[in-house]
Amino acid sequence: MEKKPERRGVIDTWIDKHRSIYTAATRHAFVVSIRDGSVDLSSFRTWLGQDYLFVRGFVPFVASVLIRAGKESGESSDMEVVLGGMASLNDEIEWFKREASKWDVDFSTVVPQKANQEYNRFLEALMSSEVKYSVMMTAFWAIEAVYQESFAHCLEDGNKTPLELTGACHRWGNDGFKQYCSSVKNIADRCLETASGEALSEAEDVLVRVLEYEVAFWEMSRGGE
Ligand SMILES: Cc1ncc(CN)c(N)n1
């Protein structure tokens, strides 16, 4: 059966409008270096430690999205989608711990770098009850989508991704995660369809800021502060 083409929503128009920062976040030199096999393993270890800390801060954010989904999504199944994301974060944390012993990274000694701290502060601000549900959902989608697009790229045809890094790439680059990101995007687009002008402009701003934070996060892996 022929697949129905996905309808273009507000998010797609924003991706087009902010294409250069979107590409910077999803095709960063660190990710490209994984894909072409030239990755510096000390960068990978830095990313691993910093991302573990990031994920520990991301869990409360997703929990707050879950609470808002329960209150604000009406008949729709937003809660189930976000709950699925929570479950995959649980696996993610266990995966990070296994990788830490594989790569000899001691998480108890990892100190969050500036880019990580700033990203975490941004997430904390988004947890406020003042932040509109559509704005939170847009941020949530962007955060997950950057990892999905980046790591899927490392698995596309022609990749030279080192075997020992394919686990990380499959974690976010697999089809199930892609499907989950598409469900989050549909939720965000649905909320944005009926959002006020003010909410739309806040959501667009938050989307761009997430992309900027993601770029800074990759930069940190390469030794930037
Ligand atoms: C920085 C960052 N952004 C997104 C993800 C995907 N949950 C992550 N693990 N780390």
Side-chain angles (χ1 to χ4, degrees):
M1 214 169 65
E2 220 172 282
K3 230 175 131 192
K4 254 199 351 213
E6 293 270 328
R7 211 157 64 85
R8 276 177 67 82
V10 186
I11 299 226
D12 282 329
T13 64
W14 287 342
I15 294 174
D16 287 345
K17 182 170 165 194
H18 303 289
R19 179 64 62 186
S20 67
I21 183 73
Y22 187 76
T23 304
T26 55
R27 294 291 182 270
H28 188 271
F30 174 67
V31 168
V32 172
S33 78
I34 295 178
R35 182 189 151 82
D36 70 18
S38 69
V39 60
D40 168 6
L41 292 180
S42 83
S43 300
F44 183 79
R45 293 170 85 249
T46 302
W47 167 79
L48 191 74
Q50 292 298 321
D51 210 43
Y52 173 73
L53 298 184
F54 173 85
V55 169
R56 294 194 73 88
F58 185 52
V59 170
F61 169 72
V62 180
S64 72
V65 176
L66 185 66
I67 292 169
R68 295 286 292 273
K71 287 184 182 150
E72 299 186 39
S73 70
E75 292 297 297
S76 14
S77 56
D78 300 8
M79 187 191 255
E80 284 83 340
V81 173
V82 183
L83 197 55
M86 269 296 210
S88 77
L89 281 172
N90 187 29
D91 293 346
E92 215 166 292
I93 288 183
E94 291 312 310
W95 175 83
F96 271 106
K97 289 179 185 162
R98 288 195 301 277
E99 288 290 300
S101 58
K102 178 169 141 190
W103 294 96
D104 208 18
V105 175
D106 179 1
F107 287 151
S108 69
T109 63
V110 177
V111 177
Q113 291 188 28
K114 192 163 158 261
N116 207 350
Q117 287 172 2
E118 287 174 356
Y119 203 171
N120 190 258
R121 268 197 291 276
F122 173 72
L123 290 184
E124 279 176 359
L126 285 177
M127 289 186 233
S128 155
S129 56
E130 311 272 290
V131 176
K132 295 168 188 74
Y133 183 55
S134 56
V135 175
M136 267 183 132
M137 267 300 168
T138 303
F140 182 38
W141 167 77
I143 295 166
E144 297 288 53
V146 167
Y147 263 44
Q148 194 279 317
E149 286 237 8
S150 298
F151 285 107
H153 181 56
C154 300
L155 298 172
E156 280 164 10
D157 285 355
N159 78 77
K160 297 193 182 94
T161 299
L163 201 59
E164 64 271 34
L165 304 188
T166 51
C169 302
H170 280 289
R171 171 144 296 281
W172 293 281
N174 74 74
D175 283 345
F177 197 75
K178 184 177 179 172
Q179 188 49 54
Y180 151 71
C181 287
S182 158
S183 303
V184 177
K185 189 181 184 203
N186 288 339
I187 296 173
D189 270 330
R190 187 200 73 223
C191 297
L192 292 166
E193 258 172 33
T194 53
S196 64
E198 190 191 28
L200 282 171
S201 113
E202 283 169 18
E204 183 175 2
D205 180 58
V206 153
L207 167 64
V208 172
R209 290 184 67 195
V210 166
L211 298 173
E212 288 167 352
Y213 281 117
E214 289 288 340
V215 172
F217 202 91
W218 294 129
E219 284 297 312
M220 182 178 63
S221 313
R222 297 203 308 154
E225 255 290 306

